[in-house]
Amino acid sequence: DNSMLTTPLVAYAIKEQVTSKLDWHSIIRDFAAKDPPALFITNWERTRIMNRKLSFYNTMKTSFGEESYLNLERGLVKRTAQLRTSAHQYHIETGRHQSIRLGSVTTRRERACPL
């Protein structure tokens, strides 16, 4: 609904911002001139790679896009997503939280899941 943009007060405010070349207007203009999806993907990749907790996730997810496992049965989708994002109860994850609570440090190798 663009009706708000045509009200005299809003139209005047927008014109004033453009004329004054205030920061918010130039930031929005510059952002609109770029490719927002590409900026999002670039930021997603940078954040994903820099996050140590996502090291396992990064071995499975190397590019932006929909994953084929999302078409599986709902229960399998949930468990796969939990595994990929470390939102599970396996010792590799729970041991990390336990060592933080106890003030000790355990390596990933020491937190292997018992058989």
Side-chain angles (χ1 to χ4, degrees):
D1 181 20
N2 289 333
S3 62
M4 187 174 112
L5 295 177
T6 59
T7 62
L9 180 59
V10 173
Y12 177 78
I14 291 173
K15 182 180 176 188
E16 185 67 25
Q17 295 295 321
V18 172
T19 303
S20 300
K21 296 183 177 143
L22 296 177
D23 285 344
W24 77 267
H25 180 266
S26 60
I27 290 169
I28 291 171
R29 184 193 64 235
D30 292 346
F31 183 76
K34 294 178 182 172
D35 184 6
L39 292 174
F40 175 82
I41 292 169
T42 300
N43 186 53
W44 172 83
E45 287 189 353
R46 184 180 313 117
T47 303
R48 175 183 61 82
I49 291 167
M50 298 300 290
N51 190 330
R52 278 186 20 183
K53 187 174 188 296
L54 296 177
S55 61
F56 177 71
Y57 176 81
N58 288 333
T59 63
M60 301 177 78
K61 181 74 171 177
T62 58
S63 63
F64 186 81
E66 184 176 328
E67 295 296 315
S68 59
Y69 79 88
L70 294 172
N71 297 318
L72 298 173
E73 174 197 332
R74 183 179 169 92
L76 289 173
V77 170
K78 180 180 177 182
R79 294 301 296 160
T80 303
Q82 287 174 329
L83 180 63
R84 290 175 62 130
T85 59
S86 298
H88 52 72
Q89 296 302 312
Y90 296 124
H91 188 64
I92 187 117
E93 191 63 28
T94 60
R96 183 174 74 87
H97 297 292
Q98 182 180 16
S99 49
I100 291 170
R101 275 194 310 277
L102 298 174
S104 62
V105 177
T106 56
T107 64
R108 276 183 163 221
R109 195 172 299 277
E110 293 171 317
R111 295 191 313 261
C113 299
L115 299 177

